[in-house]
Amino acid sequence: MLHIFKERVHQQYRTLNYPEVQPGLSDRYLGLPALHPSPCGNCHACLDVCPSGALTLSPEGPILDMGRCLFCGACSRICTEGKITFTHDHHVASFSREGLIVTGSERPATQPQRDLSLFSRSLKLREVSAGGCNACEADTNVLGTLVYDLGRFGIDFVASPRHADGLVVTGPVTENMRQALLDTYEATPEPRLVIAVGTCAISGGIFRGSRECSKGLAELLPVDLFIPGCPPNPWSILDGLLAIKGIQSSQKS
Ligand code: SF4
């Protein structure tokens, strides 16, 4: 019995006081892209290496769509002029699809497309894995562990859509999951939120173009929040969920 108390004292308090305290992320973590606003000339190396078509070139420089990006970093490594880099900033969620488009200009903050104040206290969510690889689910599940302790914000995942305020959808919405997703949405009482977590849910990801998948959740349902990543870092997911509750976590990591 005594060793349990000793271990408890040794472990101390492990929950991070987020968002007041920002997490220390690994040096290998690729977060919000930072693009240099200058023309690229005729080099298309980043376009050629990008596996998901997330990049385009404009006269002002590269444009990166986080909604299609896998955050693999290949473009950054191949660009000899250093025009594409990735910061350690995990604040990547957006209330609009356009807010995921990163250019050389400062990224504007996006606002909810409707009044979300109803969800500012209790927020119950039902997760729908719509054909994903489980990585986004894993990084969502981890929010229930003691480091993140999602429940202290009044946010919980529930077993039934009838008990939920909204849906968290992961995966590219395969044809096999399409009807199940729509049925789950219909079973969720209004006003219901829809949150797209991960590049597959936002745009189809690397499966985009397959006849077995959608080209993004917004094709099927009105999406309130987009959280990009492949998978998104758990802190990115938490930051997005807190934004729904009006809790801003703007301090950069
Ligand atoms: S980091 Fe994103 S934009 Fe760059 S190559 Fe990978 S998928 Fe494409």
Side-chain angles (χ1 to χ4, degrees), residues 30-31 33 50-55 64-73 86 92-93 97 100 130-137 139-140 168-173 195-209 213-219 223 225-233 236-237:
L30 302 185
C50 180
S52 62
L55 286 163
L64 192 155
D65 179 359
M66 286 197 291
R68 295 183 67 170
C69 180
L70 309 179
F71 292 80
C72 67
F86 287 83
V92 291
R97 184 67 181 83
L100 298 178
C133 68
N134 239 21
C136 293
E137 290 88 331
D139 274 358
T140 304
V168 166
V169 182
T170 56
V173 192
I195 303 166
V197 171
T199 297
C200 286
I202 295 172
S203 67
I206 55 172
F207 306 106
R208 186 183 174 91
C213 300
S214 78
K215 290 188 175 67
L217 184 58
E219 271 188 349
V223 180
L225 181 70
F226 301 84
I227 305 177
C230 186
N233 187 284
S236 300
I237 302 173

Tab-separated table of all heavy atoms in Angstrom, residues 30-31 33 50-55 64-73 86 92-93 97 100 130-137 139-140 168-173 195-209 213-219 223 225-233 236-237:
chain	number	residue	atom	x	y	z
A	30	LEU	N	6.039	18.546	-37.314
A	30	LEU	CA	5.791	19.529	-38.377
A	30	LEU	C	4.410	20.123	-38.155
A	30	LEU	O	3.398	19.444	-38.308
A	30	LEU	CB	5.871	18.871	-39.762
A	30	LEU	CG	7.188	18.162	-40.115
A	30	LEU	CD1	7.149	17.672	-41.557
A	30	LEU	CD2	8.384	19.081	-39.906
A	31	GLY	N	4.373	21.381	-37.794
A	31	GLY	CA	3.107	22.056	-37.547
A	31	GLY	C	2.774	23.039	-38.652
A	31	GLY	O	2.996	22.762	-39.836
A	33	PRO	N	2.569	25.379	-41.545
A	33	PRO	CA	3.581	25.711	-42.558
A	33	PRO	C	3.862	27.213	-42.585
A	33	PRO	O	2.988	28.032	-42.294
A	33	PRO	CB	2.923	25.275	-43.882
A	33	PRO	CG	1.792	24.387	-43.488
A	33	PRO	CD	1.334	24.847	-42.146
A	50	CYS	N	5.188	16.214	-53.964
A	50	CYS	CA	4.032	16.188	-53.056
A	50	CYS	C	3.100	15.016	-53.406
A	50	CYS	O	2.611	14.929	-54.520
A	50	CYS	CB	3.266	17.508	-53.128
A	50	CYS	SG	1.825	17.521	-52.027
A	51	PRO	N	2.835	14.129	-52.470
A	51	PRO	CA	2.017	12.949	-52.779
A	51	PRO	C	0.518	13.215	-52.809
A	51	PRO	O	-0.250	12.342	-53.205
A	51	PRO	CB	2.356	11.985	-51.632
A	51	PRO	CG	2.723	12.873	-50.493
A	51	PRO	CD	3.347	14.107	-51.087
A	52	SER	N	0.099	14.407	-52.391
A	52	SER	CA	-1.348	14.618	-52.251
A	52	SER	C	-1.870	15.838	-52.990
A	52	SER	O	-3.027	16.207	-52.819
A	52	SER	CB	-1.701	14.741	-50.762
A	52	SER	OG	-1.041	15.856	-50.199
A	53	GLY	N	-1.023	16.456	-53.796
A	53	GLY	CA	-1.485	17.618	-54.564
A	53	GLY	C	-1.853	18.802	-53.686
A	53	GLY	O	-2.748	19.582	-54.025
A	54	ALA	N	-1.152	18.950	-52.583
A	54	ALA	CA	-1.488	20.027	-51.641
A	54	ALA	C	-0.897	21.364	-52.033
A	54	ALA	O	-1.289	22.395	-51.479
A	54	ALA	CB	-1.011	19.652	-50.234
A	55	LEU	N	0.043	21.346	-52.973
A	55	LEU	CA	0.749	22.584	-53.319
A	55	LEU	C	0.340	23.109	-54.684
A	55	LEU	O	0.079	22.337	-55.609
A	55	LEU	CB	2.259	22.324	-53.338
A	55	LEU	CG	2.945	22.166	-51.976
A	55	LEU	CD1	4.304	21.514	-52.164
A	55	LEU	CD2	3.071	23.509	-51.266
A	64	LEU	N	-0.020	26.445	-50.019
A	64	LEU	CA	-0.154	25.090	-49.453
A	64	LEU	C	-1.538	24.933	-48.820
A	64	LEU	O	-1.941	25.738	-47.985
A	64	LEU	CB	0.950	24.865	-48.404
A	64	LEU	CG	1.158	23.441	-47.894
A	64	LEU	CD1	2.584	23.266	-47.390
A	64	LEU	CD2	0.175	23.042	-46.824
A	65	ASP	N	-2.226	23.901	-49.246
A	65	ASP	CA	-3.554	23.604	-48.700
A	65	ASP	C	-3.396	22.575	-47.573
A	65	ASP	O	-3.167	21.387	-47.829
A	65	ASP	CB	-4.437	23.051	-49.825
A	65	ASP	CG	-5.837	22.697	-49.326
A	65	ASP	OD1	-6.099	22.860	-48.117
A	65	ASP	OD2	-6.652	22.255	-50.155
A	66	MET	N	-3.522	23.037	-46.331
A	66	MET	CA	-3.378	22.112	-45.190
A	66	MET	C	-4.462	21.043	-45.194
A	66	MET	O	-4.307	19.990	-44.587
A	66	MET	CB	-3.424	22.882	-43.870
A	66	MET	CG	-2.174	23.676	-43.565
A	66	MET	SD	-2.102	24.143	-41.827
A	66	MET	CE	-3.448	25.343	-41.741
A	67	GLY	N	-5.573	21.330	-45.861
A	67	GLY	CA	-6.645	20.349	-45.936
A	67	GLY	C	-6.298	19.159	-46.810
A	67	GLY	O	-6.995	18.137	-46.786
A	68	ARG	N	-5.219	19.282	-47.597
A	68	ARG	CA	-4.769	18.157	-48.416
A	68	ARG	C	-3.376	17.674	-48.015
A	68	ARG	O	-2.910	16.657	-48.504
A	68	ARG	CB	-4.783	18.551	-49.897
A	68	ARG	CG	-6.177	18.841	-50.403
A	68	ARG	CD	-6.207	19.166	-51.884
A	68	ARG	NE	-5.855	18.025	-52.715
A	68	ARG	CZ	-5.992	17.997	-54.025
A	68	ARG	NH1	-6.487	19.047	-54.654
A	68	ARG	NH2	-5.648	16.934	-54.720
A	69	CYS	N	-2.737	18.429	-47.157
A	69	CYS	CA	-1.337	18.144	-46.797
A	69	CYS	C	-1.235	16.977	-45.822
A	69	CYS	O	-2.039	16.854	-44.902
A	69	CYS	CB	-0.727	19.402	-46.176
A	69	CYS	SG	0.992	19.199	-45.670
A	70	LEU	N	-0.223	16.143	-46.032
A	70	LEU	CA	0.046	15.012	-45.135
A	70	LEU	C	1.112	15.368	-44.108
A	70	LEU	O	1.480	14.527	-43.296
A	70	LEU	CB	0.515	13.804	-45.947
A	70	LEU	CG	-0.355	13.404	-47.142
A	70	LEU	CD1	0.256	12.206	-47.850
A	70	LEU	CD2	-1.772	13.092	-46.691
A	71	PHE	N	1.630	16.564	-44.187
A	71	PHE	CA	2.679	17.028	-43.274
A	71	PHE	C	3.870	16.061	-43.297
A	71	PHE	O	4.439	15.741	-42.263
A	71	PHE	CB	2.137	17.219	-41.856
A	71	PHE	CG	1.152	18.370	-41.763
A	71	PHE	CD1	-0.168	18.210	-42.163
A	71	PHE	CD2	1.560	19.614	-41.311
A	71	PHE	CE1	-1.078	19.268	-42.095
A	71	PHE	CE2	0.664	20.672	-41.239
A	71	PHE	CZ	-0.646	20.503	-41.622
A	72	CYS	N	4.189	15.586	-44.501
A	72	CYS	CA	5.318	14.665	-44.646
A	72	CYS	C	6.646	15.407	-44.698
A	72	CYS	O	7.696	14.821	-44.443
A	72	CYS	CB	5.150	13.809	-45.894
A	72	CYS	SG	5.256	14.750	-47.442
A	73	GLY	N	6.612	16.679	-45.077
A	73	GLY	CA	7.821	17.497	-45.098
A	73	GLY	C	8.656	17.335	-46.350
A	73	GLY	O	9.725	17.943	-46.458
A	86	PHE	N	8.210	24.274	-41.975
A	86	PHE	CA	7.119	23.924	-41.052
A	86	PHE	C	7.518	24.353	-39.645
A	86	PHE	O	8.599	24.011	-39.177
A	86	PHE	CB	6.831	22.419	-41.102
A	86	PHE	CG	6.140	22.001	-42.373
A	86	PHE	CD1	6.879	21.764	-43.526
A	86	PHE	CD2	4.765	21.879	-42.423
A	86	PHE	CE1	6.252	21.396	-44.705
A	86	PHE	CE2	4.126	21.509	-43.600
A	86	PHE	CZ	4.866	21.278	-44.746
A	92	VAL	N	-3.567	24.734	-35.923
A	92	VAL	CA	-3.833	24.610	-37.355
A	92	VAL	C	-5.321	24.525	-37.677
A	92	VAL	O	-5.708	24.589	-38.845
A	92	VAL	CB	-3.105	23.376	-37.953
A	92	VAL	CG1	-1.604	23.585	-37.954
A	92	VAL	CG2	-3.467	22.106	-37.195
A	93	ALA	N	-6.168	24.369	-36.688
A	93	ALA	CA	-7.604	24.201	-36.950
A	93	ALA	C	-8.201	25.468	-37.535
A	93	ALA	O	-7.696	26.576	-37.318
A	93	ALA	CB	-8.323	23.826	-35.651
A	97	ARG	N	-12.950	26.130	-44.638
A	97	ARG	CA	-12.034	25.395	-45.519
A	97	ARG	C	-10.969	26.345	-46.072
A	97	ARG	O	-9.799	25.974	-46.199
A	97	ARG	CB	-12.857	24.772	-46.666
A	97	ARG	CG	-12.074	23.903	-47.612
A	97	ARG	CD	-11.569	22.647	-46.935
A	97	ARG	NE	-10.786	21.822	-47.853
A	97	ARG	CZ	-9.511	22.027	-48.106
A	97	ARG	NH1	-8.843	23.014	-47.526
A	97	ARG	NH2	-8.856	21.237	-48.945
A	100	LEU	N	-7.658	26.981	-44.271
A	100	LEU	CA	-6.579	25.995	-44.300
A	100	LEU	C	-5.569	26.286	-45.410
A	100	LEU	O	-4.570	25.575	-45.540
A	100	LEU	CB	-7.150	24.586	-44.503
A	100	LEU	CG	-8.095	24.075	-43.410
A	100	LEU	CD1	-8.625	22.697	-43.768
A	100	LEU	CD2	-7.393	24.032	-42.060
A	130	ALA	N	-14.932	6.957	-40.520
A	130	ALA	CA	-15.533	6.745	-41.834
A	130	ALA	C	-14.519	6.198	-42.831
A	130	ALA	O	-14.274	6.775	-43.889
A	130	ALA	CB	-16.147	8.052	-42.345
A	131	GLY	N	-13.908	5.078	-42.466
A	131	GLY	CA	-13.010	4.410	-43.403
A	131	GLY	C	-11.557	4.805	-43.250
A	131	GLY	O	-10.769	4.611	-44.171
A	132	GLY	N	-11.187	5.355	-42.118
A	132	GLY	CA	-9.811	5.802	-41.922
A	132	GLY	C	-8.893	4.673	-41.498
A	132	GLY	O	-9.304	3.522	-41.325
A	133	CYS	N	-7.622	5.023	-41.295
A	133	CYS	CA	-6.606	4.027	-40.928
A	133	CYS	C	-6.485	3.864	-39.424
A	133	CYS	O	-5.706	3.065	-38.945
A	133	CYS	CB	-5.249	4.437	-41.507
A	133	CYS	SG	-4.575	5.930	-40.743
A	134	ASN	N	-7.206	4.670	-38.686
A	134	ASN	CA	-7.233	4.638	-37.217
A	134	ASN	C	-6.232	5.586	-36.567
A	134	ASN	O	-6.209	5.699	-35.341
A	134	ASN	CB	-7.035	3.235	-36.654
A	134	ASN	CG	-8.199	2.804	-35.802
A	134	ASN	OD1	-9.296	3.340	-35.924
A	134	ASN	ND2	-7.967	1.861	-34.922
A	135	ALA	N	-5.401	6.230	-37.351
A	135	ALA	CA	-4.413	7.136	-36.749
A	135	ALA	C	-5.119	8.355	-36.131
A	135	ALA	O	-4.790	8.762	-35.014
A	135	ALA	CB	-3.408	7.583	-37.797
A	136	CYS	N	-6.080	8.921	-36.848
A	136	CYS	CA	-6.787	10.085	-36.304
A	136	CYS	C	-7.594	9.694	-35.067
A	136	CYS	O	-7.676	10.465	-34.108
A	136	CYS	CB	-7.711	10.685	-37.361
A	136	CYS	SG	-6.836	11.430	-38.744
A	137	GLU	N	-8.156	8.496	-35.085
A	137	GLU	CA	-8.901	8.035	-33.913
A	137	GLU	C	-7.957	7.889	-32.721
A	137	GLU	O	-8.303	8.252	-31.594
A	137	GLU	CB	-9.576	6.683	-34.182
A	137	GLU	CG	-10.732	6.737	-35.145
A	137	GLU	CD	-10.271	6.577	-36.578
A	137	GLU	OE1	-9.125	6.956	-36.892
A	137	GLU	OE2	-11.048	6.083	-37.383
A	139	ASP	N	-5.197	9.508	-32.103
A	139	ASP	CA	-4.817	10.822	-31.566
A	139	ASP	C	-6.009	11.567	-30.987
A	139	ASP	O	-5.836	12.559	-30.286
A	139	ASP	CB	-4.132	11.660	-32.653
A	139	ASP	CG	-2.647	11.348	-32.714
A	139	ASP	OD1	-2.189	10.537	-31.899
A	139	ASP	OD2	-1.942	11.927	-33.562
A	140	THR	N	-7.211	11.121	-31.294
A	140	THR	CA	-8.399	11.668	-30.626
A	140	THR	C	-8.605	10.965	-29.287
A	140	THR	O	-8.868	11.612	-28.265
A	140	THR	CB	-9.640	11.477	-31.522
A	140	THR	OG1	-9.383	12.079	-32.795
A	140	THR	CG2	-10.871	12.132	-30.901
A	168	VAL	N	-17.614	13.956	-34.601
A	168	VAL	CA	-16.217	14.074	-35.023
A	168	VAL	C	-16.014	12.994	-36.071
A	168	VAL	O	-16.189	11.807	-35.787
A	168	VAL	CB	-15.259	13.865	-33.833
A	168	VAL	CG1	-13.832	13.640	-34.327
A	168	VAL	CG2	-15.304	15.058	-32.894
A	169	VAL	N	-15.683	13.396	-37.267
A	169	VAL	CA	-15.579	12.435	-38.370
A	169	VAL	C	-14.120	12.306	-38.793
A	169	VAL	O	-13.436	13.311	-39.025
A	169	VAL	CB	-16.439	12.867	-39.576
A	169	VAL	CG1	-16.358	11.822	-40.695
A	169	VAL	CG2	-17.886	13.079	-39.147
A	170	THR	N	-13.655	11.075	-38.880
A	170	THR	CA	-12.312	10.793	-39.379
A	170	THR	C	-12.423	9.848	-40.582
A	170	THR	O	-13.427	9.149	-40.736
A	170	THR	CB	-11.446	10.132	-38.289
A	170	THR	OG1	-12.135	8.948	-37.823
A	170	THR	CG2	-11.234	11.054	-37.111
A	171	GLY	N	-11.385	9.838	-41.401
A	171	GLY	CA	-11.380	8.939	-42.550
A	171	GLY	C	-11.962	9.598	-43.786
A	171	GLY	O	-12.665	10.623	-43.707
A	172	PRO	N	-11.710	9.003	-44.951
A	172	PRO	CA	-12.075	9.636	-46.223
A	172	PRO	C	-13.532	9.416	-46.637
A	172	PRO	O	-13.893	9.722	-47.771
A	172	PRO	CB	-11.116	8.971	-47.213
A	172	PRO	CG	-10.892	7.603	-46.645
A	172	PRO	CD	-10.908	7.774	-45.159
A	173	VAL	N	-14.353	8.949	-45.744
A	173	VAL	CA	-15.768	8.644	-46.007
A	173	VAL	C	-15.881	7.703	-47.211
A	173	VAL	O	-16.217	8.107	-48.334
A	173	VAL	CB	-16.644	9.895	-46.199
A	173	VAL	CG1	-18.110	9.491	-46.169
A	173	VAL	CG2	-16.361	10.947	-45.141
A	195	ILE	N	-17.414	18.050	-37.164
A	195	ILE	CA	-15.988	18.375	-37.080
A	195	ILE	C	-15.221	17.366	-37.922
A	195	ILE	O	-15.333	16.153	-37.698
A	195	ILE	CB	-15.504	18.317	-35.616
A	195	ILE	CG1	-16.335	19.280	-34.758
A	195	ILE	CG2	-14.023	18.654	-35.525
A	195	ILE	CD1	-16.153	19.047	-33.268
A	196	ALA	N	-14.463	17.853	-38.881
A	196	ALA	CA	-13.647	16.980	-39.731
A	196	ALA	C	-12.246	16.933	-39.164
A	196	ALA	O	-11.562	17.952	-39.079
A	196	ALA	CB	-13.620	17.512	-41.165
A	197	VAL	N	-11.833	15.750	-38.740
A	197	VAL	CA	-10.506	15.588	-38.148
A	197	VAL	C	-9.620	14.788	-39.107
A	197	VAL	O	-9.925	13.639	-39.431
A	197	VAL	CB	-10.597	14.877	-36.783
A	197	VAL	CG1	-9.213	14.515	-36.270
A	197	VAL	CG2	-11.300	15.774	-35.766
A	198	GLY	N	-8.558	15.410	-39.552
A	198	GLY	CA	-7.591	14.736	-40.407
A	198	GLY	C	-7.781	15.050	-41.876
A	198	GLY	O	-8.876	15.394	-42.336
A	199	THR	N	-6.693	14.911	-42.592
A	199	THR	CA	-6.683	15.262	-44.021
A	199	THR	C	-7.654	14.405	-44.831
A	199	THR	O	-8.287	14.891	-45.764
A	199	THR	CB	-5.238	15.114	-44.551
A	199	THR	OG1	-4.424	16.057	-43.859
A	199	THR	CG2	-5.155	15.373	-46.032
A	200	CYS	N	-7.788	13.132	-44.471
A	200	CYS	CA	-8.717	12.274	-45.219
A	200	CYS	C	-10.142	12.797	-45.112
A	200	CYS	O	-10.867	12.876	-46.109
A	200	CYS	CB	-8.651	10.845	-44.695
A	200	CYS	SG	-7.179	9.957	-45.188
A	201	ALA	N	-10.555	13.155	-43.892
A	201	ALA	CA	-11.926	13.643	-43.716
A	201	ALA	C	-12.121	14.981	-44.414
A	201	ALA	O	-13.200	15.272	-44.947
A	201	ALA	CB	-12.242	13.768	-42.227
A	202	ILE	N	-11.090	15.794	-44.435
A	202	ILE	CA	-11.233	17.142	-45.011
A	202	ILE	C	-11.275	17.103	-46.538
A	202	ILE	O	-12.077	17.792	-47.162
A	202	ILE	CB	-10.082	18.050	-44.520
A	202	ILE	CG1	-10.201	18.254	-42.997
A	202	ILE	CG2	-10.097	19.401	-45.241
A	202	ILE	CD1	-9.019	18.965	-42.369
A	203	SER	N	-10.406	16.274	-47.118
A	203	SER	CA	-10.290	16.328	-48.585
A	203	SER	C	-10.239	14.972	-49.275
A	203	SER	O	-10.153	14.908	-50.495
A	203	SER	CB	-9.015	17.093	-48.960
A	203	SER	OG	-7.880	16.337	-48.560
A	204	GLY	N	-10.254	13.898	-48.521
A	204	GLY	CA	-10.019	12.581	-49.114
A	204	GLY	C	-8.586	12.138	-48.959
A	204	GLY	O	-8.270	10.959	-49.150
A	205	GLY	N	-7.685	13.097	-48.679
A	205	GLY	CA	-6.275	12.771	-48.455
A	205	GLY	C	-5.653	12.064	-49.643
A	205	GLY	O	-5.910	12.397	-50.801
A	206	ILE	N	-4.853	11.043	-49.362
A	206	ILE	CA	-4.198	10.323	-50.457
A	206	ILE	C	-5.194	9.462	-51.228
A	206	ILE	O	-4.871	8.924	-52.281
A	206	ILE	CB	-3.023	9.445	-49.965
A	206	ILE	CG1	-3.499	8.487	-48.880
A	206	ILE	CG2	-1.867	10.291	-49.495
A	206	ILE	CD1	-2.442	7.458	-48.487
A	207	PHE	N	-6.406	9.314	-50.699
A	207	PHE	CA	-7.424	8.511	-51.386
A	207	PHE	C	-8.286	9.362	-52.302
A	207	PHE	O	-9.179	8.847	-52.974
A	207	PHE	CB	-8.300	7.795	-50.358
A	207	PHE	CG	-7.505	6.990	-49.372
A	207	PHE	CD1	-7.337	7.431	-48.072
A	207	PHE	CD2	-6.906	5.813	-49.763
A	207	PHE	CE1	-6.589	6.691	-47.167
A	207	PHE	CE2	-6.152	5.061	-48.866
A	207	PHE	CZ	-5.994	5.507	-47.560
A	208	ARG	N	-8.051	10.650	-52.308
A	208	ARG	CA	-8.836	11.568	-53.125
A	208	ARG	C	-8.758	11.127	-54.594
A	208	ARG	O	-7.676	10.838	-55.115
A	208	ARG	CB	-8.282	12.986	-52.982
A	208	ARG	CG	-9.116	14.049	-53.669
A	208	ARG	CD	-8.428	15.400	-53.510
A	208	ARG	NE	-9.088	16.432	-54.257
A	208	ARG	CZ	-10.051	17.204	-53.773
A	208	ARG	NH1	-10.436	17.066	-52.532
A	208	ARG	NH2	-10.619	18.125	-54.520
A	209	GLY	N	-9.865	11.079	-55.226
A	209	GLY	CA	-9.900	10.641	-56.621
A	209	GLY	C	-10.388	9.214	-56.760
A	209	GLY	O	-10.802	8.789	-57.843
A	213	CYS	N	-14.268	6.712	-52.400
A	213	CYS	CA	-14.177	7.690	-51.305
A	213	CYS	C	-14.769	9.022	-51.744
A	213	CYS	O	-14.890	9.311	-52.935
A	213	CYS	CB	-12.717	7.935	-50.914
A	213	CYS	SG	-11.868	6.477	-50.354
A	214	SER	N	-15.076	9.845	-50.747
A	214	SER	CA	-15.524	11.203	-51.044
A	214	SER	C	-14.306	12.088	-51.298
A	214	SER	O	-13.161	11.674	-51.090
A	214	SER	CB	-16.307	11.772	-49.861
A	214	SER	OG	-15.420	12.179	-48.847
A	215	LYS	N	-14.561	13.289	-51.726
A	215	LYS	CA	-13.472	14.264	-51.878
A	215	LYS	C	-13.461	15.212	-50.688
A	215	LYS	O	-12.976	16.325	-50.755
A	215	LYS	CB	-13.642	15.063	-53.172
A	215	LYS	CG	-13.398	14.267	-54.437
A	215	LYS	CD	-13.386	15.196	-55.643
A	215	LYS	CE	-13.031	14.457	-56.933
A	215	LYS	NZ	-14.063	13.496	-57.312
A	216	GLY	N	-14.042	14.753	-49.615
A	216	GLY	CA	-14.076	15.586	-48.422
A	216	GLY	C	-15.453	15.579	-47.800
A	216	GLY	O	-16.480	15.500	-48.485
A	217	LEU	N	-15.474	15.680	-46.509
A	217	LEU	CA	-16.724	15.604	-45.757
A	217	LEU	C	-17.703	16.705	-46.139
A	217	LEU	O	-18.927	16.510	-46.088
A	217	LEU	CB	-16.374	15.689	-44.266
A	217	LEU	CG	-17.475	15.538	-43.251
A	217	LEU	CD1	-18.187	14.204	-43.415
A	217	LEU	CD2	-16.897	15.666	-41.851
A	218	ALA	N	-17.178	17.859	-46.523
A	218	ALA	CA	-18.046	18.991	-46.852
A	218	ALA	C	-18.934	18.695	-48.062
A	218	ALA	O	-19.921	19.398	-48.296
A	218	ALA	CB	-17.203	20.234	-47.095
A	219	GLU	N	-18.571	17.677	-48.845
A	219	GLU	CA	-19.448	17.243	-49.942
A	219	GLU	C	-20.777	16.722	-49.420
A	219	GLU	O	-21.795	16.761	-50.101
A	219	GLU	CB	-18.779	16.092	-50.713
A	219	GLU	CG	-17.880	16.480	-51.845
A	219	GLU	CD	-17.463	15.239	-52.628
A	219	GLU	OE1	-17.705	14.110	-52.168
A	219	GLU	OE2	-16.898	15.424	-53.711
A	223	VAL	N	-19.752	21.342	-42.544
A	223	VAL	CA	-18.654	21.171	-41.586
A	223	VAL	C	-18.428	22.480	-40.821
A	223	VAL	O	-18.286	23.543	-41.413
A	223	VAL	CB	-17.360	20.735	-42.305
A	223	VAL	CG1	-16.222	20.551	-41.303
A	223	VAL	CG2	-17.589	19.436	-43.077
A	225	LEU	N	-15.948	22.745	-38.291
A	225	LEU	CA	-14.545	22.903	-37.896
A	225	LEU	C	-13.688	21.894	-38.648
A	225	LEU	O	-14.056	20.719	-38.758
A	225	LEU	CB	-14.397	22.677	-36.376
A	225	LEU	CG	-12.990	22.820	-35.805
A	225	LEU	CD1	-12.520	24.272	-35.832
A	225	LEU	CD2	-12.919	22.279	-34.375
A	226	PHE	N	-12.561	22.379	-39.139
A	226	PHE	CA	-11.610	21.522	-39.854
A	226	PHE	C	-10.313	21.457	-39.034
A	226	PHE	O	-9.743	22.490	-38.685
A	226	PHE	CB	-11.278	22.116	-41.228
A	226	PHE	CG	-12.470	22.293	-42.135
A	226	PHE	CD1	-13.275	23.430	-42.041
A	226	PHE	CD2	-12.778	21.340	-43.092
A	226	PHE	CE1	-14.367	23.609	-42.885
A	226	PHE	CE2	-13.869	21.509	-43.942
A	226	PHE	CZ	-14.657	22.644	-43.833
A	227	ILE	N	-9.857	20.239	-38.762
A	227	ILE	CA	-8.601	20.076	-38.023
A	227	ILE	C	-7.664	19.240	-38.899
A	227	ILE	O	-7.799	18.015	-38.984
A	227	ILE	CB	-8.826	19.388	-36.660
A	227	ILE	CG1	-9.881	20.157	-35.848
A	227	ILE	CG2	-7.510	19.317	-35.884
A	227	ILE	CD1	-10.239	19.514	-34.508
A	228	PRO	N	-6.730	19.886	-39.586
A	228	PRO	CA	-5.891	19.157	-40.550
A	228	PRO	C	-4.759	18.397	-39.874
A	228	PRO	O	-4.382	18.655	-38.731
A	228	PRO	CB	-5.345	20.284	-41.432
A	228	PRO	CG	-5.251	21.456	-40.511
A	228	PRO	CD	-6.412	21.318	-39.551
A	229	GLY	N	-4.186	17.466	-40.628
A	229	GLY	CA	-3.060	16.679	-40.152
A	229	GLY	C	-3.223	15.244	-40.578
A	229	GLY	O	-4.318	14.809	-40.923
A	230	CYS	N	-2.118	14.506	-40.557
A	230	CYS	CA	-2.181	13.117	-41.005
A	230	CYS	C	-1.329	12.243	-40.091
A	230	CYS	O	-0.269	11.792	-40.493
A	230	CYS	CB	-1.715	13.016	-42.458
A	230	CYS	SG	-1.901	11.366	-43.176
A	231	PRO	N	-1.791	11.972	-38.891
A	231	PRO	CA	-2.989	12.518	-38.250
A	231	PRO	C	-2.678	13.863	-37.596
A	231	PRO	O	-1.505	14.210	-37.422
A	231	PRO	CB	-3.294	11.476	-37.158
A	231	PRO	CG	-1.923	10.994	-36.751
A	231	PRO	CD	-1.096	10.995	-37.999
A	232	PRO	N	-3.696	14.596	-37.181
A	232	PRO	CA	-3.430	15.829	-36.437
A	232	PRO	C	-2.798	15.490	-35.095
A	232	PRO	O	-3.113	14.463	-34.499
A	232	PRO	CB	-4.823	16.437	-36.214
A	232	PRO	CG	-5.745	15.704	-37.125
A	232	PRO	CD	-5.135	14.351	-37.364
A	233	ASN	N	-1.930	16.367	-34.643
A	233	ASN	CA	-1.394	16.199	-33.290
A	233	ASN	C	-2.538	16.328	-32.276
A	233	ASN	O	-3.442	17.141	-32.482
A	233	ASN	CB	-0.342	17.298	-33.044
A	233	ASN	CG	0.390	17.114	-31.736
A	233	ASN	OD1	-0.143	17.397	-30.664
A	233	ASN	ND2	1.606	16.611	-31.819
A	236	SER	N	-3.412	19.747	-31.453
A	236	SER	CA	-4.156	20.458	-32.512
A	236	SER	C	-5.645	20.158	-32.396
A	236	SER	O	-6.486	21.045	-32.583
A	236	SER	CB	-3.661	20.035	-33.900
A	236	SER	OG	-2.304	20.332	-34.066
A	237	ILE	N	-5.963	18.893	-32.098
A	237	ILE	CA	-7.378	18.526	-31.955
A	237	ILE	C	-7.974	19.234	-30.738
A	237	ILE	O	-9.062	19.819	-30.807
A	237	ILE	CB	-7.526	16.993	-31.816
A	237	ILE	CG1	-6.914	16.289	-33.031
A	237	ILE	CG2	-9.004	16.611	-31.682
A	237	ILE	CD1	-6.856	14.770	-32.902
